[in-house]
Amino acid sequence: MKKLLVFMLVFVLLASTVMGCQPKEQPTTAAPTEATTAPPPVNNTPLVVGYAAFSQRFSPFFATTAYDMDAQSLTQVSLLKTDRTGGIIYNAIEGETHNYNGVDYFYDGISNIKVDYDEAADITTYNIKIRDDVKFSDGELLDADDIIFSYYVLSDPTYTGSSTLYSYPILGMTNYRLNNSMAEELSVTAEELAAEMENPSEESQAFIEGFVSDILISELDWVKSLYGDANWKSYTDQHPLAKDLYAMFYSIDEAYDSYTVEDENQVLEDILAQYGDDWKTLGVNYGGSETYFAADVEGPISEMLLTQKLASSEGVEVFNIEGIKKLSQTEVEVKVKGFEAPAVYSICGIEVAPMHYYGDATMYDYANNKFGFERGDLSIVESKTTMPMGAGPYKFIKYENKIVYYEANENYYKGAPITQYLQLKETTDAEMIAGVGAGEIDVANPSGSVAKFAELKAFNSNGEAVGDVITAVSVDNLGYGYIGINAKNVNVGGNPASEESKNLRKGFATVYAVYRDVANDSYYGDAANVINYPISNTSWAAPQKADPGYEVAFSTDVDGNPIYTSDMVAEAKYEAALEAAKGFFIAAGYTFDEASGKFTAAPAGASLTYEVIVPGDGTGDHPAFAILADTRASLEKIGITLTINDPSDTNVLWDSIDANEHQMWTAAWGSTIDPDMYQVYHSSNGIGLGGTDSNNYNIADPQLDELIVEARQSPDQAFRKATYKQALDIIMDWAVEVPNYQRQNLVIFSTQRVGMDTVTPDITTYWGWMNDIELLQMQ
């Protein structure tokens, strides 16, 4: 559930599920049905938490940002429970005691998880047994039917949320989604697909020509949008009419002269005729590789062939998913072909949504293959997106005036929270510390910069991070900061995969990288470290300095030679980086004027000016801002302009990314316990390709795709780490991401209003402060 987020995106509020745990020596809270003593007094003083802006997708199925996920997760319970190190609690009903930092902690949850891999049958079975006393906030009992309903929503052919549950080879999943009992048995072979692509049928031919036509038509609209865009001025000036610029980009007939054709539509028809069904050449001109559109073309054609096979087969309609079974009202089983390491987190890590609320109870009859909604129509589920409900510690009341209001769930299985009311209040990063210090908010997660530490210490009479007004807690963040470069929009000749395009991006990346040390030291001090690979240092898969092949990010020149020497001072490094960047730009095809020492022209499809978006609240308050400013000043010396866009509204960044219009940007990834790269770097998840849309770099590399799949299918951690290292090297070679920092999460509490002795102890990367939230008390 790795999500694209701005700096500080992943709020440590919910680093794990909100179900509780506590030191073994402390008395545990009995379940509501077992209570033998009077419950603690209810506190009516609301707990107000400063939070970043919400998108109001407060759904366990459709939340996309970490903020929305956190907001809805307060109302939900998850099947999976993890401890302070990220380890799975397999016997959460009875509970398990795990030691951390010399202290024994007792962890419990709503289910027991058993994973069994049958090597002979090559089948992994996930058995999930839940408690029989868990209730949703409206008093309805949570049982296996709710789990089944949740699985079927996530498996529906029309599901568009971020979950990739359906991507795992659960037995019968493909049969169900294609509604034919022979779908998995009659899968199309590589030889059959190759033969069809070599000699396509009329149906395939029509599809390919339609696909090529649709892309070319949309590209004409894109070309028209370039007029008035300063980044493309040299091209629009050279070709004042869109039809001629379009022909320059996409004509594959060297003899074709669009200037002799007056009508724009005729130019379009001419170029459509040039391509016909040549999707591979279109892939080269659009995305830099003959295989760029392979998934988009071969995938549907493979489905056509499968449909033809199924039509002539003896297959019948499929009314359920063979591998997902309800064994009893408290037990569910999921069977999966093969073994994939991250699967347990997706299969068993779902939040259990109430079927009677998100679906229609009259449409649920497990024995007769009815699962609470009409198959292929999730409108009833989507209609509840802004109003979450579940079995979590709090009940959602409303979202109003940029505040999410909650009330304690009196039916929470661990006991109703002592703090009756909770509010998540939209607050900018710059306002968080002052807000806690002034009593406007009680808890916040500001950036852990040098300036912020100085600000919070000033509120305490002892001048320390923990004092009489504010109590600060720092832990390593499960995620990292980066600078991204969109390969689709930063390339040469419309070919993102070419060496020229990579060199263009490496020119920028090299200068960005050299300024990381000074910027992060100035902004964070000891609260962050520079990283050299696009992965959180908290992960076991992160390359370490002692590992073979470890390199400092973007520290070699265009010829592969080291840019820096060990005795270089900072200024010498900056000069060396700029010289190396010049070499990359020249290799990319830029024209360099020796007399002026500046670049005077960019190659086709590239520009002398690029934009980077930084979500610094319009004030430059962002750890990467200094990097961008220094890079801008450096590149200006050689005739390259970097425009810094620092909007006051961070949605400017997200809207640009959603529209795939972004060139460069700064943000942070929130990671998961397992380092699976599929969602963010696999080519199928590029923007607008029908996947998760999380591959905002638009990196499309067949070898990278293969490595990602190989790594997730192995239980061998050493093999996975070595495979991920190869994948990381490919990402770095594409230069679509400059790893920036591994920071610490700074969580601050109002010492005067929050009972600190009731906050969960030993907060870690995997154990956020909202765990045990039902025990937290206001003073």
Side-chain angles (χ1 to χ4, degrees), residues 262-338:
E262 293 184 4
D263 184 58
E264 180 183 280
N265 289 330
Q266 186 59 52
V267 172
L268 176 60
E269 291 299 323
D270 292 343
I271 292 179
L272 289 174
Q274 290 177 23
Y275 281 86
D277 65 350
D278 192 353
W279 62 274
K280 291 185 177 180
T281 299
L282 178 62
V284 171
N285 291 334
Y286 180 94
S289 169
E290 285 191 350
T291 61
Y292 188 85
F293 288 122
D296 301 276
V297 174
E298 294 177 353
I301 289 179
S302 179
E303 290 182 7
M304 288 181 192
L305 293 178
L306 181 56
T307 299
Q308 293 169 8
K309 279 189 173 186
L310 295 175
S312 60
S313 73
E314 297 180 356
V316 297
E317 285 188 88
V318 176
F319 300 102
N320 58 55
I321 302 170
E322 176 190 351
I324 299 178
K325 295 186 181 299
K326 184 178 91 169
L327 305 183
S328 71
Q329 286 304 110
T330 58
E331 194 168 3
V332 170
E333 176 185 88
V334 181
K335 288 184 177 290
V336 180
K337 182 68 176 176

Side-chain angles (χ1 to χ4, degrees), residues 411-590:
N411 292 307
Y412 186 46
Y413 79 101
K414 294 181 71 65
I418 297 171
T419 299
Q420 180 74 4
Y421 302 107
L422 171 66
Q423 298 174 13
L424 303 187
K425 181 179 181 180
E426 291 187 14
T427 310
T428 67
D429 184 67
E431 299 169 337
M432 287 186 176
I433 293 175
V436 173
E440 296 174 359
I441 53 178
D442 305 313
V443 185
N445 183 208
S447 57
S449 66
V450 171
K452 293 296 172 63
F453 269 103
E455 181 185 359
L456 73 88
K457 289 178 180 179
F459 278 98
N460 292 327
S461 59
N462 62 3
E464 300 295 333
V466 177
D468 53 351
V469 177
I470 295 177
T471 295
V473 179
S474 298
V475 296
D476 286 337
N477 179 53
L478 185 60
Y480 65 94
Y482 69 94
I483 300 172
I485 305 178
N486 182 0
K488 180 182 182 298
N489 295 331
V490 183
N491 61 64
V492 176
N495 184 346
S498 71
E499 288 304 311
E500 290 81 2
S501 293
K502 292 178 181 178
N503 285 329
L504 163 57
R505 297 189 292 268
K506 286 176 182 176
F508 283 97
T510 298
V511 185
Y512 283 143
V514 76
Y515 288 110
R516 294 176 302 163
D517 286 318
V518 64
N520 284 299
D521 184 60
S522 174
Y523 193 92
Y524 281 118
D526 295 331
N529 297 307
V530 169
I531 59 174
N532 290 305
Y533 289 89
I535 186 172
S536 172
N537 274 352
T538 62
S539 173
W540 52 261
Q544 303 299 316
K545 290 182 179 179
D547 292 346
Y550 182 94
E551 291 185 357
V552 173
F554 303 107
S555 60
T556 56
D557 63 19
V558 70
D559 297 317
N561 300 314
I563 299 173
Y564 314 109
T565 60
S566 59
D567 60 346
M568 277 187 173
V569 296
E571 289 300 326
K573 287 184 176 181
Y574 303 153
E575 293 176 7
L578 186 60
E579 188 65 24
K582 187 172 74 174
F584 282 118
F585 288 131
I586 291 172
Y590 280 72

Side-chain angles (χ1 to χ4, degrees), residues 51 563 663:
Y51 232 89
I563 299 173
Q663 295 178 331

Side-chain angles (χ1 to χ4, degrees), residues 673-742:
I673 296 173
D674 189 274
D676 182 26
M677 295 180 174
Y678 185 84
Q679 184 172 352
V680 174
Y681 300 106
H682 196 277
S683 63
S684 65
N685 293 319
I687 297 174
L689 298 183
T692 65
D693 283 353
S694 296
N695 181 353
N696 301 307
Y697 314 103
N698 286 294
I699 183 173
D701 190 291
Q703 185 183 1
L704 176 61
D705 287 350
E706 291 177 8
L707 291 169
I708 289 172
V709 173
E710 286 178 11
R712 75 190 323 225
Q713 291 179 337
S714 173
D716 185 336
Q717 190 173 97
F719 171 80
R720 295 185 74 201
K721 180 172 181 176
T723 304
Y724 281 135
K725 174 58 167 61
Q726 296 179 59
L728 292 168
D729 286 340
I730 292 174
I731 296 167
M732 297 297 286
D733 183 55
W734 270 68
V736 292
E737 183 174 352
V738 180
N740 189 7
Y741 59 83
Q742 169 70 60

